[in-house]
Amino acid sequence: MTLDINVGKVRNNCYRQSKIPGEFLLQLRSPGAFLDAKWLEMVQMLCQKYGDGNFHFGTRQTFNITGIKYEDIPKVNEIIKPYIEEIEGDRNVDIEYNDDGYPYIGPRNIMACIGGRHCIKAAQNTQRLADKLEKIIYESPYQIKTAVTGCPNDCVKAHFTDFGFVGVTRPVYDIDRCIGCGACVDRCKAVATRVLSLNDQGKVDKDPCCCVGCGECVTRCPNNAWRRPDRQMWNVIIGGRTGKQFPRMGQMFARWMDEDAVIQMMENWKDFSAYVLDNKPVYLHGGHLIDRVGFPTFKKMMLKDVDLNPECLIADRINWTEKEYRSSINVMKVEDHKNVK
């Protein structure tokens, strides 16, 4: 049987074409990768009744249901409608909830580690920020990949997305509680940036310029001389990407940016994308948009009307380091080397 399939349309509704003609893979969003377990029953039913009995944990933390027949897509959309309404509606996402499933695929699922809900290393609550970002990002059709990680360990690989948000803290030191044991100094030396040292009074000195905001000093102090302040602060990484041509690690755009400023900044993303792409939401990653217009224009537009907190630092310029596969001209078989015999 020959099917006349508008692959572009169903793809925009988050159905990806399979190697098997007439079959598709459905990507169910899970913003922040934290959901009510009740939805697992729906996922199981879809896999077993309309898919091939399997599912894949997507690399961007989606539920990927494989083997869906094209003719079953309308029924599947009917089944997932309550899921979309709850997941997106609970985050106040203003989209049209209809029988076509998801409205667009461009804004990729917001990835997040378990963050402040569980991990003792987390400096910030990743699900909280992911939920706030979902309203901004999924109300816009423009392509963007985002990831939220709770601490500078960056388990979610925020450095390889268009926007990566790294939870940080600026630990407060109570000198009167310090017993001079050096535990925080040793920990910083072992796993962070060696910014702490004991002075001749047996107290801790800190070089603030290179602190990564991990809070490891807090976890090691036996007398609570270090504490995390109740501040919602993030480092912002931009322009990271993978790909076949010129992948690169993202670079620091902002340090110590508070959460309100992060939200204000990201509210400018739609206008920036529309400006670069002439209001056409084509498939193009955010890092490429920065490259098209240049970092100064990106910075100006993204920081428009943003109330930066006093501690926030913004990059004056960015030095990208790309892996250009074509330029690796000297990498060849050993027998072809001219200086090895």
Side-chain angles (χ1 to χ4, degrees):
M1 181 178 66
T2 301
L3 296 174
D4 184 13
I5 301 175
N6 186 340
V7 174
K9 179 183 182 304
V10 294
R11 184 182 185 280
N12 196 54
N13 299 135
C14 293
Y15 289 91
R16 290 185 174 270
Q17 188 176 16
S18 169
K19 294 179 179 180
I20 302 173
E23 289 190 6
F24 291 82
L25 175 152
L26 168 64
Q27 291 182 307
L28 287 172
R29 294 175 68 84
S30 61
F34 198 84
L35 302 172
D36 191 319
K38 69 181 182 181
W39 295 112
L40 295 177
E41 184 177 353
M42 181 199 73
V43 172
Q44 180 183 9
M45 184 272 289
L46 288 172
C47 293
Q48 294 176 340
K49 186 173 182 179
Y50 297 100
D52 56 16
N54 302 294
F55 79 97
H56 173 247
F57 285 118
T59 54
R60 297 202 60 81
Q61 299 179 333
T62 52
F63 285 110
N64 293 349
I65 301 172
T66 56
I68 296 176
K69 302 290 192 296
Y70 174 72
E71 55 267 28
D72 288 333
I73 287 179
K75 182 60 179 177
V76 172
N77 284 339
E78 181 181 333
I79 295 170
I80 67 174
K81 185 176 180 181
Y83 175 86
I84 298 174
E85 289 177 339
E86 180 169 315
I87 299 302
E88 303 301 334
D90 284 354
R91 293 161 176 82
N92 300 312
V93 179
D94 185 15
I95 57 175
E96 183 178 352
Y97 300 96
N98 54 36
D99 295 332
D100 291 332
Y102 286 104
Y104 20 71
I105 194 173
R108 296 296 196 265
N109 188 57
I110 300 174
M111 299 167 58
C113 68
I114 194 61
R117 288 184 176 270
H118 170 76
C119 183
I120 61 174
K121 300 291 186 182
Q124 298 297 336
N125 187 321
T126 51
Q127 277 71 42
R128 181 190 64 225
L129 180 60
D131 287 349
K132 293 179 181 179
L133 290 172
E134 179 72 0
K135 175 175 173 55
I136 299 169
I137 288 172
Y138 205 59
E139 286 182 2
S140 165
Y142 291 98
Q143 165 81 12
I144 184 174
K145 291 183 176 180
T146 53
V148 186
T149 188
C151 78
N153 281 337
D154 193 11
C155 295
V156 81
K157 307 298 183 291
H159 281 74
F160 290 95
T161 58
D162 298 321
F163 281 90
F165 302 96
V166 181
V168 290
T169 185
R170 303 190 77 183
V172 176
Y173 177 55
D174 186 344
I175 192 172
D176 293 327
R177 295 193 65 89
C178 179
I179 59 176
C181 67
C184 59
V185 176
D186 293 340
R187 187 62 177 170
C188 188
K189 180 179 179 180
V191 303
T193 48
R194 307 188 304 276
V195 298
L196 303 181
S197 61
L198 282 176
N199 58 33
D200 53 9
Q201 280 81 43
K203 300 297 183 180
V204 178
D205 290 333
K206 179 178 180 178
D207 181 1
C209 78
C210 301
C211 175
V212 294
C214 62
E216 289 282 354
C217 51
V218 179
T219 66
R220 281 299 186 270
C221 182
N223 207 41
N224 296 324
W226 290 100
R227 64 176 177 84
R228 291 189 177 107
D230 188 18
R231 294 287 303 279
Q232 301 169 3
M233 305 188 82
W234 302 87
N235 289 346
V236 182
I237 309 298
I238 62 168
R241 63 187 179 218
T242 56
K244 298 185 291 292
Q245 292 182 306
F246 18 72
R248 69 189 183 196
M249 188 173 181
Q251 298 294 327
M252 182 84 71
F253 175 61
R255 292 193 71 191
W256 316 117
M257 180 178 277
D258 70 28
E259 198 158 293
D260 290 340
V262 167
I263 298 303
Q264 291 173 3
M265 177 185 70
M266 293 308 296
E267 285 173 344
N268 291 325
W269 172 251
K270 182 178 180 180
D271 288 343
F272 172 75
S273 299
Y275 169 77
V276 180
L277 297 173
D278 194 25
N279 295 297
K280 300 179 181 66
V282 298
Y283 184 88
L284 199 62
H285 290 298
H288 294 294
L289 304 192
I290 300 173
D291 295 344
R292 282 193 176 190
V293 298
F295 176 71
T297 299
F298 165 83
K299 179 171 64 173
K300 179 180 179 180
M301 294 189 70
M302 291 302 295
L303 294 180
K304 180 182 177 182
D305 298 325
V306 176
D307 297 320
L308 296 176
N309 50 299
E311 306 94 332
C312 184
L313 305 174
I314 300 294
D316 182 41
R317 58 192 178 95
I318 297 286
N319 294 318
W320 304 108
T321 303
E322 296 181 348
K323 171 65 179 177
E324 298 173 342
Y325 290 118
R326 185 59 187 263
S327 67
S328 302
I329 193 168
N330 294 309
V331 180
M332 60 190 76
K333 292 182 178 180
V334 173
E335 56 265 35
D336 294 331
H337 287 194
K338 294 180 173 59
N339 59 347
V340 176
K341 303 297 182 182

